[in-house]
Amino acid sequence: MDDTLRKRFTEIVGQRYAFHRAEDMAPYTTEMRNRFDGTAAMALRPGSVGEVSAILKLASETGTAIIPQGGNTGLVGAGVPLQGGTGEEVMVSLGRMNKIIEVDTETNTMTVEAGAILENIQNAADKADRFFPLSLGSQGTCQIGGNISANAGGTGVIAYGNTRELVMGLEVVLPDGRVWDGLSKLRKDNTGYDLKNLIIGAEGTLGIVTKAVLKLFPKPAGREVAIAGLGSPEDKLKLLSLAKAKAANGVTAFEFMARVAMEFTTRHTDGAREPLESRPAWYVLLEISSPRSAEDARETMETILTEAFEDGTISDAVIAESGEQQNAFWKLREDMSWAQKPEGASIKHDISVPIREVPKFIKLANAAVERIAPGSRIVNFGHLGDGNLHYNISQPVGWEASDHYALEHAVNEAVYEILGQLGGSISAEHGIGQMKRDKLARLKDPVALDMMRAVKRALDPVNIMNPGKVIEV
Ligand SMILES: Cc1cc2nc3c(=O)[nH]c(=O)nc-3n(C[C@H](O)[C@H](O)[C@H](O)COP(=O)(O)OP(=O)(O)OC[C@H]3O[C@@H](n4cnc5c(N)ncnc54)[C@H](O)[C@@H]3O)c2cc1C
């Protein structure tokens, strides 16, 4: 980037919030898994929608590529520079725009700036005696603008839906610098195309989200957390069906973990303990909430577990006896993402299948992985209630990481072929980014791809917004 252009971008945010030296850029250009190592020309930290607008206007005029960035916890290379790219991209980090603007307990909404950290939003809702249900392992770092742009899922989807279902309105700066004020609190608004839903999940390819109106919910009056042991994937579906029959929307989490996943977490997390003496093949973390009372939640949980035990669906179970123990159970599940790192290279999949196909997927995919990379450790866990599996393949003990990664393509192809047979998706919640862009182009319906390209060209004719991510135009 020439000095004149760098100076013009710098003037918009001020010297203090513009960076271009390699050592200052590293936190913006590197993703946590270190799988992408592209470079960018500079990073900007705007403090207002006016500054974001001025940045995009200048970028459009000069054809400068822009990468919006939130907490940089994404896992598909969407918020970092393109691997093998030009190095001319400008990162726009939203972290300074982090205000919680309003908590409105009458309409049950919260208006926030895009850089607000998810955990701060949850806490602000709690303080107002309300509940914001989006919950991810990265919630202490990720930002709501990133959650919206990735349409993040997490553990509450089974009862409350993805981020898409939790957003009522948006303010977005378009690639040409115009500001769309869509900060609506309307629950009903049938006035043409649903523009908000185009932006949600667009991974920063259509504009920069600067504010959002979020839905709040009543706080549950009671909440119980249990971990149950099961022998097979079929048993997990039986337990899910039973829990839904007894608690309906009160099933606020249904997370599963394979034995090896639990072993990794207990081995690598300080203070983590094996929760069940039987050390079963599969674990389910079940959370039941009640709008009525703590007793109601407890009674429902006990009914579910007793029936499941009596008919042989579960081998054993333990209900958390305190808030502290509930947190400890949740930590076992949440730390699974980090606990894989010390075990070496991991080939990761964030996929979904129709819920009833989960056992078949596991059977077919495990057989394929064993054929291609014998001795691999299959770290399978995820949000069973949504048919969303994190199907991660850790290298066999004693292998070199590079030998394991050499098999990545073959493993991926096998997994995607099985997904195709079962009507699944190659990305359940993490998105496409640069990691799965070519796979999307190959595997998604061609008409859907044409519609996506038409939208992208219409809103971003100069192709400055996160080019090379999600879809090529
Ligand atoms: C430990 C761990 C656990 C995780 N668990 C889950 C999980 O359960 N479910 C899940 O869905 N994901 C999960 N993730 C992935 C990740 O945390 C989510 O995708 C999250 O929503 C990303 O938010 P972020 O602020 O970090 O966004 P970033 O990583 O910074 O960016 C993500 C995408 O959004 C774009 N973007 C960011 N901010 C804006 C903005 N204001 N306007 C326009 N575009 C923007 C970026 O360009 C990029 O395309 C996990 C990650 C980790 C590390």
Side-chain angles (χ1 to χ4, degrees), residues 319-390:
I319 304 179
E321 289 302 338
S322 63
E324 208 173 275
Q325 202 178 9
Q326 289 186 347
N327 293 342
F329 283 1
W330 265 114
K331 203 164 157 19
L332 289 171
R333 164 64 187 86
E334 282 161 359
D335 284 346
M336 241 154 236
S337 301
W338 311 108
Q340 292 156 87
K341 222 172 182 172
E343 296 285 340
S346 172
I347 301 171
K348 295 188 190 289
H349 304 97
D350 158 47
I351 52 108
S352 62
V353 288
I355 294 175
R356 75 187 161 92
E357 303 289 12
V358 169
K360 197 164 173 191
F361 172 83
I362 293 174
K363 194 163 159 237
L364 293 174
N366 285 5
V369 168
E370 185 54 28
R371 205 169 48 245
I372 298 165
S376 291
R377 293 156 304 157
I378 299 175
V379 186
N380 193 357
F381 62 98
H383 319 293
L384 189 83
D386 320 318
N388 178 187
L389 287 73
H390 297 308

Side-chain angles (χ1 to χ4, degrees), residues 32 67-75 78-79 94 114 135-138 141-143 145-147 149-155 203-204 207-210 334 337-338 383 390 429-430 466:
M32 59 165 284
I67 304 174
Q69 192 176 82
N72 194 15
T73 66
L75 301 170
L94 277 291
S135 173
L136 322 177
S138 54
T141 311
C142 65
Q143 301 173 5
N147 303 147
S149 303
N151 185 28
T155 52
E203 300 183 46
I208 296 192
V209 177
T210 43
E334 282 161 359
S337 301
W338 311 108
H383 319 293
H390 297 308
E429 58 176 13
H430 294 166
N466 223 354

Side-chain angles (χ1 to χ4, degrees), residues 47-86:
S48 68
V49 63
E51 289 181 9
V52 175
S53 163
I55 292 168
L56 292 197
K57 191 159 181 291
L58 178 57
S60 264
E61 280 166 16
T62 54
T64 309
I66 295 290
I67 304 174
Q69 192 176 82
N72 194 15
T73 66
L75 301 170
V76 290
V80 290
L82 267 184
Q83 179 100 350
T86 59

Side-chain angles (χ1 to χ4, degrees), residues 146-182:
N147 303 147
I148 289 167
S149 303
N151 185 28
T155 52
V157 176
I158 186 170
Y160 298 97
N162 289 302
T163 303
R164 196 180 289 290
E165 273 91 26
L166 305 175
V167 175
M168 293 185 78
L170 291 179
E171 179 186 82
V172 180
V173 181
L174 298 183
D176 62 8
R178 282 179 301 158
V179 180
W180 169 46
D181 179 354

